[in-house]
Amino acid sequence: MSEQDHHERRPPRQTALAALGWHRAFAGLVETLDQEDFWLAVVRLLERHLDFNTWVALVFFDHRPPRILAESDEDDGADETLFQDYQRGLYLLDPFYIDAKGRGRSGLYTLADVAPQGFTRTEYYQRYFRRNIVADEVQFNCVLDDERTLCLSLGSVASFDHEALGLLALVQPWLLALMRQRSHFEALEENLPGLHPWHPRQGGTLAQDAQRALTEREREVSQLMLAGCTTKEIARHLAISVETVRAHKKHLYAKLGINSQSELFALFWQDRR
């Protein structure tokens, strides 16, 4: 390698200085691990380098509703009522929740990674996502154990571009390590809301009338339908045949006395607690 090539391959000084800045910033986050404003400090650091409009730190549980640890306030465009409705049942239709519960994987994931084919046509998208997140979302998932996944979600009114996603991918190892350490300072299981009746493995019945009660599998099919999954996507997700999915749809519609997915969502929304 010639001396000229060697010099050309050296990283520019400004790149080195920028890297030094990131190291210093993340060192500062370590100092806040046990402090109340940890999540806000993380968000403020990320805001220096990319644009987003809403954020929320939360924990996904396998058998319980999510617990919100910190969130953007109303001045940032978030709606407190929508976050409450999310905890009371809408989480069951969240593609990030469904993916985390089904796969249990740590990393950085985009909406395109997890959303089903018909997501933008769902009532969940129209009533919650579009009003609260608007256009795009990315999420850091840190799997804590078999039951819990700690998450940091960023929502934007515009799609995250390749530069933004590249930056988030670069900070992912640092941030996931910090999130795991932060979990030791969070009261993860306090103040959890009651389960939505349609929560998987909840037991009991969906309605007061036991003759209309959905089976566990029918609840799972209902959840995935309302989340925007096609019949084939539901079959893949549940590892059953397309014909079996269609049979479950027919049975649950008959039990509930409905004829459309809009009516199914109305029942789901009515049953939130």
Side-chain angles (χ1 to χ4, degrees), residues 20 49 94 99 101 166 197 238 240 250 258 272:
L20 177 60
H49 302 277
D94 178 4
D99 182 82
K101 190 171 181 300
L238 299 179
I240 57 180
K250 180 179 179 180
I258 59 176
R272 73 193 190 282

Side-chain angles (χ1 to χ4, degrees), residues 2-123:
S2 68
E3 183 176 352
Q4 181 179 358
D5 289 338
H6 179 73
H7 284 294
E8 288 177 351
R9 292 175 184 269
R10 286 179 180 173
R13 180 175 299 177
Q14 63 183 22
T15 301
L17 289 175
L20 177 60
W22 272 108
H23 283 287
R24 291 173 61 88
F26 273 90
L29 290 181
V30 173
E31 294 293 328
T32 69
L33 270 172
D34 61 346
Q35 298 177 18
E36 186 177 350
D37 63 349
F38 168 77
W39 295 109
L40 184 58
V42 170
V43 168
R44 285 178 173 170
L45 172 58
L46 294 176
E47 282 178 332
R48 297 178 198 168
H49 302 277
L50 73 156
D51 295 326
F52 55 92
N53 303 94
T54 62
W55 62 273
V56 60
L58 72 167
V59 184
F60 287 153
F61 294 93
D62 193 22
H63 300 303
R64 283 166 284 183
R67 179 161 191 262
I68 294 177
L69 305 174
E71 64 198 68
S72 48
D73 58 33
E74 293 180 2
D75 292 338
D76 296 319
D79 186 327
E80 184 176 354
T81 302
L82 290 174
F83 275 123
Q84 292 172 356
D85 281 335
Y86 179 85
Q87 279 189 292
R88 292 166 61 196
L90 287 177
Y91 66 89
L92 290 169
L93 312 184
D94 178 4
F96 285 97
Y97 171 82
I98 294 172
D99 182 82
K101 190 171 181 300
R103 301 193 186 188
R105 52 184 182 166
S106 295
L108 171 67
Y109 301 100
T110 67
L111 183 63
D113 292 330
V114 300
Q117 182 176 326
F119 177 63
T120 59
R121 297 190 297 272
T122 63
E123 296 274 0

Side-chain angles (χ1 to χ4, degrees), residues 165-182:
L165 294 176
L167 173 66
L168 292 172
L170 285 174
V171 304
Q172 171 190 324
W174 293 79
L175 187 51
L176 290 183
L178 285 173
M179 289 170 63
R180 180 171 296 278
Q181 294 304 313
R182 173 63 183 182

